[in-house]
Amino acid sequence: MNDNPQKYNKTLLACYLGFITQAITANFTPLLFLMFNKSYEVSLGKIALIPAVFFLTQLVVDIICAQVVDKIGYRKCIITSCLCSAAGLLLLAFLPDLFSDPFVGIIISVVVYAIGSGLVEVLGSPIVEACPFEHKEAVMSLLHSFYCWGSVGVIVISTLFFKFAGIENWKILACIWAVIPLYNIYNFATCPIEQPNGGEKGMGLVALFKLPLFWVAVILMICAGASELSMAQWASAFAESALGLSKNIGDLAGPCLFAVAMGTVRAIFGKFGHKLNLMHFMIFSGALCLVSYLLASLSSVPILGLLGCIFCGFSVAIMWPGTISICSPRIPKGGTALFAMLAMSGDLGGAAGPAIVGNISQVFSNNLKAGLLAGTIFPVVLIVMILLIPAITKKTS
């Protein structure tokens, strides 16, 4: 490995754009749900399947990556990520019109760009981890902040485009967004990419499953995904009720505020994280997340509910990248399988958390606050797992 970090700045740029691309694929299509309903006459029930298909595809990709990436190679797989992301966005602009049922074209497009999203989610972190940067936990936090800024950019730029160009021209914007992953193919094709573990074969899944620390990492990632997505899914509702905004504006303002809060903390940690104790910061984040959920679920003042949502964005920011930075050095031979399983666990938490909150809300007569109160279990378990790490690490060393 060349130990000159400057030579890996292009690698870092490519991974930044990879996470921005992931934000595009995750956030652009939901802005079009009402348009699909009106122009393609797709029922809201079918539209609700779109994010489920996106998450499920990512989970499948996470599992497959654990088995095949080391055999195929990181460069080929990450370039495939860019190709799939670009292809999915371009297909979204044209494919629905080619089917008698436009929903079929939409779902095919979603599956294609979700493959790209899943690949970059698994590969981006280990590619950066393998680069010879100092203070890798800070670099990792900054890397993950680009997903947040990408989310904000997609929402704001798309909203402005729809306002001035008309939402009926959304297909043009889909093609414009596809330019970013297409350009990033060149970056990943020409930047230096090091293999994790110096090219040595990483641990297999069976070996990983025997490590107690691995299961702590899995639970941490599930809690991180659940803590983040359970609140993020309801962010627009908080914005609407607290600020009295229209539903459409509330749908944009809520997620934007949440993403800005997340991105701000990740960027700050990326700048000053090497001066902080990551374990202590994670415990503090878990405690703040617990307070945020309690504030949102127990407060009778709408503006406090909104503050709970924003504080939650601050609190969950470091959970996902922080778990990777804490656990990967403690399982040095984890390799691609470790990163894939961590990504899968985060996605699992991101899918299960909102479902748990929603189902509990339904049990209590559609009382969302009751569901969010139940969501306090996620940061509590996260704090407990963080506290267990030193003892488990000492026992297995």
Side-chain angles (χ1 to χ4, degrees):
M1 179 188 293
N2 191 322
D3 290 326
N4 180 8
Q6 297 297 321
K7 292 195 174 184
Y8 293 85
N9 286 339
K10 188 173 184 180
T11 309
L12 201 55
L13 172 63
C15 290
Y16 287 163
L17 291 177
F19 273 69
I20 289 174
T21 299
Q22 187 185 21
I24 293 170
T25 56
N27 292 281
F28 177 62
T29 302
L31 300 178
L32 302 171
F33 283 174
L34 291 180
M35 172 57 64
F36 292 158
N37 176 245
K38 293 176 182 177
S39 62
Y40 291 136
E41 297 182 351
V42 178
S43 69
L44 294 180
K46 284 186 175 181
I47 287 174
L49 293 174
I50 293 175
V53 169
F54 181 78
F55 256 115
L56 180 61
T57 303
Q58 285 201 154
L59 280 169
V60 172
V61 171
D62 293 342
I63 296 170
I64 294 174
C65 278
Q67 303 293 330
V68 304
V69 168
D70 286 329
K71 298 176 183 177
I72 298 175
Y74 269 69
R75 194 182 302 277
K76 291 179 181 177
C77 289
I78 198 67
I79 289 175
T80 300
S81 161
C82 299
L83 283 169
C84 288
S85 297
L89 290 166
L90 292 172
L91 287 173
L92 186 65
F94 302 103
L95 207 56
D97 294 318
L98 301 181
F99 286 87
S100 57
D101 182 358
F103 183 69
V104 175
I106 293 172
I107 287 296
I108 292 173
S109 305
V110 170
V111 169
V112 172
Y113 69 58
I115 292 172
S117 179
L119 283 170
V120 78
E121 182 177 53
V122 172
L123 302 176
S125 294
I127 286 174
V128 170
E129 184 73 21
C131 294
F133 296 119
E134 294 184 7
H135 315 304
K136 287 187 180 179
E137 68 278 1
V139 175
M140 192 69 69
S141 178
L142 186 61
L143 169 69
H144 283 258
S145 76
F146 276 83
Y147 177 84
C148 305
W149 301 127
S151 300
V152 174
V154 170
I155 294 169
V156 172
I157 293 172
S158 297
T159 301
L160 292 173
F161 180 91
F162 296 154
K163 179 176 177 60
F164 293 106
I167 194 169
E168 65 275 7
N169 291 313
W170 66 269
K171 295 177 183 179
I172 297 174
L173 186 57
C175 296
I176 293 173
W177 286 129
V179 171
I180 293 177
L182 285 173
Y183 166 70
N184 215 24
I185 292 173
Y186 167 77
N187 287 330
F188 277 121
T190 56
C191 71
I193 294 179
E194 301 292 343
Q195 287 287 108
N197 307 323
E200 295 181 14
K201 182 176 174 58
M203 298 174 70
L205 291 178
V206 174
L208 276 175
F209 290 165
K210 294 178 180 179
L211 297 178
L213 182 58
F214 168 75
W215 292 107
V216 170
V218 165
I219 295 172
L220 276 172
M221 287 299 287
I222 291 173
C223 291
S227 297
E228 176 184 333
L229 271 298
S230 295
M231 182 64 78
Q233 179 166 314
W234 304 107
S236 61
F238 278 120
E240 185 181 351
S241 62
L243 301 180
L245 300 173
S246 67
K247 176 167 177 52
N248 287 341
I249 298 297
D251 285 344
L252 301 180
C256 261
L257 288 173
F258 189 87
V260 166
M262 281 185 63
T264 299
V265 172
R266 286 178 175 176
I268 292 173
F269 196 89
K271 183 71 173 177
F272 303 106
H274 63 282
K275 299 179 181 179
L276 303 172
N277 183 303
L278 180 56
M279 297 276 282
H280 293 167
F281 197 87
M282 286 278 282
I283 293 171
F284 171 78
S285 295
L288 179 60
C289 185
L290 175 60
V291 171
S292 301
Y293 269 86
L294 289 173
L295 187 62
S297 59
L298 298 179
S299 174
S300 59
V301 181
I303 191 65
L304 292 181
L306 178 62
L307 287 175
C309 169
I310 297 171
F311 288 157
C312 188
F314 287 124
S315 70
V316 300
I318 202 61
M319 290 181 179
W320 190 301
T323 298
I324 294 173
S325 294
I326 287 172
C327 296
S328 59
R330 289 173 169 82
I331 311 177
K333 295 184 179 180
T336 307
L338 173 63
F339 284 96
M341 289 298 99
L342 292 181
M344 186 201 72
S345 302
D347 283 340
L348 182 61
I356 291 171
V357 170
N359 281 310
I360 292 177
S361 299
Q362 186 175 350
V363 169
F364 287 88
S365 303
N366 293 325
N367 184 348
L368 177 58
K369 290 189 174 184
L372 289 176
L373 183 60
T376 56
I377 188 64
F378 306 131
V380 169
V381 173
L382 181 136
I383 293 172
V384 172
M385 291 297 106
I386 289 291
L387 293 172
L388 285 175
I389 286 177
I392 292 176
T393 305
K394 184 177 180 181
K395 185 176 180 180
T396 56
S397 61

